[in-house]
Amino acid sequence: MKIIYVITKASEIGGAQIHVRDLSILSKNQGHDILVITGEKGALVDQLETSGVKTKVVPSLVRGINPLCDILCVIQLCKEYYMFKPDIIGLHSSKAGILGRLAAKITGFPAIFTAHGWSFAEGISPKKRKIYILIERIFSKLAIKIITVSKQDKDLAIKNRVSTDEHQVVIYNGVGPSLPTQKTNEESKTVKLIMVARFNKQKDHSTLINSLERLAHLDWRLDLVGGGPLLNKIRKLVDESSVKNKINILGERNDVDELLSSSHIFLLISNWEGYPLSILEAMSSGLPVICSNVGGVNEAVKDGFNGFLIERQDSVMLSEKIEKLICNSELRKAIGKNNYNDYIQKHSLETMHSKTLEVYKTVLEPR
């Protein structure tokens, strides 16, 4: 099968980039002919090329709205589609999804759009939500199928009349196995917390920092991993907090597996989400998780079983759940074990890949 994947950003390695990278590499290793189109060079392109996956940079594929660039991008995408002659086109991220679907319509190649959390999810301003809903209502018809990474996202599209039940299919994200949590962790008196997330409006580092100020009397350390436009703002917030000596901002890292394996508790505090890969990576490491109850998070985390869910921006509730896990190592172990077992059963990379290829084959079958 000849497959083109299109995604806007390559300089950052977020959930959508990891998704495309893993699908591409697994498909290539199974003998499929893969081309990944991005809007820029970066870590994603480097990782794909190291694995032998063909890439193409289309500089006019930019995240922001730019009419001249957008028109040029559609023309360039059409050219790449005609040259590669794919059996199927997989589109990822909002901007690539819009321009990629338009180019697919023009060229006649079938396209599938994967929504990694809708642009009109809860947490987005009402004005922007209305605009994004209108855009997606128009462009959803240009995809032969839409893959959502959570049932919540599928239901959200139906509720807002963006797409139908029949036009969508849910395939949960999957990740490869991580390093197991080190046994020496539980011997440490200091409990290590970790949050792996970009510093942007989607993530809610400020609520996390506020909640931890209530726990200054306990023995813990927090590692914040990631980059993003709000990094300096959060750095300032940490410096002005009463727990600045307990928080380390590590920035972008290539050793996330090692950081997870040496931690005790994983946190993901957000304003909105799709079905975040970072939670699944923590699950594969056998860590208990505490997450905001937004988007499809509650489809991965069952409150009290493999982690705790907190309501959005509820710093008091977050403090209570963190304290509960800090003070009870046996509870951490039990919840971490449940998490790892859940990962094995539902969220392996191979399961996600096989279900995705099955969708491709189904939509390509003669009707």
Side-chain angles (χ1 to χ4, degrees), residues 175 178 181 186 191-196 208 222 260-261 263-270 273 275-294 296-311 317-318 320-326 328-343 347:
V175 296
S178 298
T181 304
E186 296 304 335
V191 176
K192 293 185 67 176
L193 318 175
I194 186 170
M195 176 162 162
V196 181
L208 174 59
L222 169 67
L260 289 173
S261 72
S263 299
H264 299 99
I265 301 168
F266 179 84
L267 303 152
L268 185 65
I269 313 305
S270 315
E273 288 289 351
Y275 198 82
L277 280 174
S278 58
I279 291 178
L280 308 186
E281 291 170 339
M283 292 171 69
S284 72
S285 293
L287 288 177
V289 300
I290 301 176
C291 309
S292 299
N293 188 14
V294 294
V297 171
N298 61 13
E299 295 173 48
V301 180
K302 303 305 178 187
D303 191 49
F305 176 73
N306 61 337
F308 291 114
L309 296 171
I310 63 145
E311 295 310 308
M317 186 178 186
L318 179 56
E320 293 172 354
K321 299 304 182 183
I322 294 175
E323 182 173 12
K324 190 171 186 176
L325 284 181
I326 286 177
N328 192 332
S329 63
E330 291 303 314
L331 181 61
R332 292 200 301 268
K333 290 178 184 178
I335 290 179
K337 183 178 180 180
N338 291 341
N339 235 344
Y340 181 75
N341 291 337
D342 201 50
Y343 157 74
H347 296 111

Side-chain angles (χ1 to χ4, degrees), residues 68-219:
L68 184 60
C69 277
D70 295 344
I71 293 171
L72 180 59
C73 180
V74 172
I75 294 172
Q76 291 177 311
L77 287 177
C78 288
K79 179 181 177 181
E80 295 300 328
Y81 293 177
Y82 281 130
M83 289 178 62
F84 193 76
K85 294 181 173 59
D87 295 302
I88 198 81
I89 300 166
L91 303 167
H92 299 260
S93 71
S94 296
K95 190 64 176 293
I98 291 171
L99 301 183
R101 277 177 281 184
L102 184 56
K105 179 65 175 179
I106 293 170
T107 57
F109 293 105
I112 292 178
F113 174 56
T114 297
H116 297 274
W118 289 108
S119 55
F120 51 86
E122 293 180 10
I124 306 295
S125 68
K127 183 178 179 181
K128 287 185 177 180
R129 287 189 76 230
K130 290 180 180 178
I131 295 172
Y132 294 149
I133 288 170
L134 178 61
I135 291 172
E136 285 296 345
R137 282 177 183 170
I138 296 169
F139 283 90
S140 67
K141 298 177 178 63
L142 304 185
I144 194 169
K145 202 78 171 177
I146 292 175
I147 295 174
T148 63
V149 297
S150 71
K151 186 177 183 299
Q152 189 271 347
D153 277 338
K154 180 180 180 180
D155 293 341
L156 188 64
I158 295 171
K159 177 183 176 182
N160 289 284
R161 293 183 286 118
V162 165
S163 187
T164 63
D165 180 72
E166 296 77 15
H167 194 217
Q168 300 179 90
V169 59
V170 177
I171 300 178
Y172 289 122
N173 282 330
V175 296
S178 298
L179 298 172
T181 304
Q182 298 173 10
K183 292 182 179 179
T184 54
N185 282 2
E186 296 304 335
E187 299 173 5
S188 172
K189 292 182 179 180
T190 301
V191 176
K192 293 185 67 176
L193 318 175
I194 186 170
M195 176 162 162
V196 181
R198 282 181 54 73
F199 293 90
N200 57 20
K201 291 181 180 179
Q202 180 185 3
K203 310 304 180 184
D204 189 8
H205 292 85
S206 59
T207 292
L208 174 59
I209 294 165
N210 289 340
S211 71
L212 288 172
E213 287 193 290
R214 298 187 181 90
L215 306 177
H217 59 288
L218 298 177
D219 190 3

